[in-house]
Amino acid sequence: MTGRNQTIISEFLLLGLPIEPEHQDLFYTLFLAMYVTTILGNLLIMFLIRLDPHLHTPMYLFLSNLSFSDLCFSSVTMPKLLQDMQSQDPFISYAGCLTQMYFFLFFADLESFLLVAMAYDRYVAICFPLRYTAIMSPRLCLSLLALSWVLTTFHAMLHTLLMARLHFCEGHVIAHFFCDMSALLKLSCSDTRVNELVIFIMGGLILVIPFLVIITSYAQIVSSILKVPSARGIRKAFSTCGSHLTVVSLFYGTVIGLYLCPSANNSIVKETVMAMMYTVVTPMLNPFIYSLRNRDMKGALGRVFWRKKTPFSL
């Protein structure tokens, strides 16, 4: 649209969360507590997996990477959100906005791929228990991790470069608490059809296909369990997979609903709440889901704690 004034935008104004001023301090305390819980919980999981040899298995290798991803994913948006809630000028520079968008996409994609790797690990463990060690070799696990990091780097860089080529008009107010891609596209006075097409195509590859792979893996797991019905076996299998399915539902449900199935009826409040679910709530819940429902993690906590208390034991 050439008729509109194309000024050079050096910074954006983040509107933040739609919270009444009198409730600002209450929500600030709540979000601060959630962020601290996220940091401590995920650091604890990484710490236990690193120190306990019993957890040096493919499942916990992927889990430690997921905890690192959750910690970073939450740190991309939460510190800025907390700062803006206490600031009268919640601005973010143009370069800072693109940087935040890049790392947001990077760690969101990384979480998606790690959830797929964990689903495959559970599929092999339950459907092919005797061949588990041979299939889930260290080489395969490291290859899956390397592939995840490479693909996420490419995807995040692609969207960031496409966003950097756009011009922004005099409007510089982002109706969000972080530099969300869709919110930025609404501010552009350039042709955004290429960006929207890439979001749709790459979103299908990065989100929908991994989600379908996870669903297929668990369908195979359920089928394998039902072939040899055993109350104890069913309880053990569903206990093993239940935590992972909970995380998958929280993460993919909100992301796909927000980005790949947009609705004209979606209000700013609704979009903000959905974004909070996968950027704040899910990274905070992951340590509780994987530790409180996991006997191995509880055992590792006890062994590490006991070893620290008795350093001179024979």
Side-chain angles (χ1 to χ4, degrees):
M1 297 177 63
T2 59
R4 297 178 63 179
N5 183 26
Q6 295 185 3
T7 57
I8 298 177
I9 298 295
S10 61
E11 61 182 6
F12 294 98
L13 173 65
L14 293 169
L15 285 186
L17 301 174
I19 301 174
E20 298 294 334
E22 59 269 20
H23 300 147
Q24 195 82 4
D25 291 339
L26 175 62
F27 278 93
Y28 176 83
T29 304
L30 174 63
F31 292 140
L32 178 61
M34 294 173 70
Y35 180 58
V36 171
T37 302
T38 301
I39 297 297
L40 295 180
N42 284 292
L43 282 177
L44 177 62
I45 288 183
M46 296 166 60
F47 175 77
L48 291 177
I49 294 174
R50 176 68 178 85
L51 292 183
D52 193 333
H54 296 85
L55 300 183
H56 294 174
T57 63
M59 173 183 176
Y60 293 105
L61 172 65
F62 295 136
L63 178 57
S64 64
N65 277 265
L66 181 67
S67 294
F68 174 77
S69 177
D70 281 333
L71 188 153
C72 296
F73 188 38
S74 182
S75 298
V76 170
T77 57
M78 285 302 290
K80 180 60 178 172
L81 170 63
L82 292 171
Q83 177 189 351
D84 290 346
M85 292 181 73
Q86 296 295 306
S87 172
Q88 299 297 323
D89 299 306
F91 287 94
I92 184 170
S93 67
Y94 175 81
C97 191
L98 290 184
T99 301
Q100 186 185 57
M101 190 189 81
Y102 170 82
F103 284 107
F104 177 85
L105 291 171
F106 180 90
F107 289 111
D109 294 343
L110 183 60
E111 179 144 347
S112 177
F113 285 117
L114 290 173
L115 290 175
V116 174
M118 294 175 72
Y120 179 70
D121 175 79
R122 292 301 84 205
Y123 164 73
V124 175
I126 293 175
C127 297
F128 305 99
L130 299 180
R131 298 174 53 197
Y132 176 77
T133 304
I135 296 175
M136 298 302 297
S137 62
R139 181 178 180 180
L140 176 62
C141 294
L142 292 178
S143 297
L144 290 174
L145 288 176
L147 181 62
S148 299
W149 283 80
V150 170
L151 289 178
T152 53
T153 301
F154 168 75
H155 182 245
M157 184 62 68
L158 174 63
H159 284 296
T160 304
L161 292 177
L162 286 175
M163 187 66 69
R165 74 182 181 87
L166 299 180
H167 295 284
F168 294 91
C169 303
E170 61 274 2
H172 68 291
V173 179
I174 300 177
H176 220 302
F177 64 92
F178 68 98
C179 290
D180 181 59
M181 235 185 344
S182 59
L184 282 172
L185 290 178
K186 294 176 183 177
L187 297 181
S188 175
C189 50
S190 302
D191 187 351
T192 61
R193 285 177 295 181
V194 173
N195 297 68
E196 293 166 357
L197 179 62
V198 171
I199 289 174
F200 183 77
I201 295 175
M202 298 302 294
L205 295 175
I206 299 296
L207 292 174
V208 177
I209 292 180
F211 178 69
L212 293 177
V213 171
I214 293 173
I215 296 300
T216 302
S217 298
Y218 280 105
Q220 293 292 328
I221 290 173
V222 172
S223 176
S224 177
I225 294 171
L226 296 180
K227 287 179 181 178
V228 186
S230 165
R232 181 180 179 183
I234 291 175
R235 284 197 302 269
K236 181 178 179 180
F238 279 99
S239 174
T240 301
C241 302
S243 56
H244 188 239
L245 278 175
T246 302
V247 175
V248 168
S249 301
L250 285 172
F251 180 77
Y252 284 101
T254 52
V255 173
I256 292 177
L258 186 58
Y259 290 102
L260 297 185
C261 301
S263 172
N265 297 326
N266 278 0
S267 64
I268 295 178
V269 175
K270 181 180 178 181
E271 291 182 354
T272 303
V273 171
M274 293 177 69
M276 291 291 293
M277 284 299 297
Y278 69 85
T279 59
V280 180
V281 178
T282 301
M284 181 191 69
L285 291 181
N286 280 353
F288 294 98
I289 292 172
Y290 283 110
S291 59
L292 295 180
R293 299 185 58 185
N294 192 304
R295 187 176 301 175
D296 293 337
M297 293 298 297
K298 293 178 183 178
L301 183 62
R303 287 189 293 270
V304 171
F305 179 74
W306 180 253
R307 186 171 61 191
K308 293 296 183 182
K309 286 188 65 176
T310 57
F312 303 107
S313 60
L314 299 178

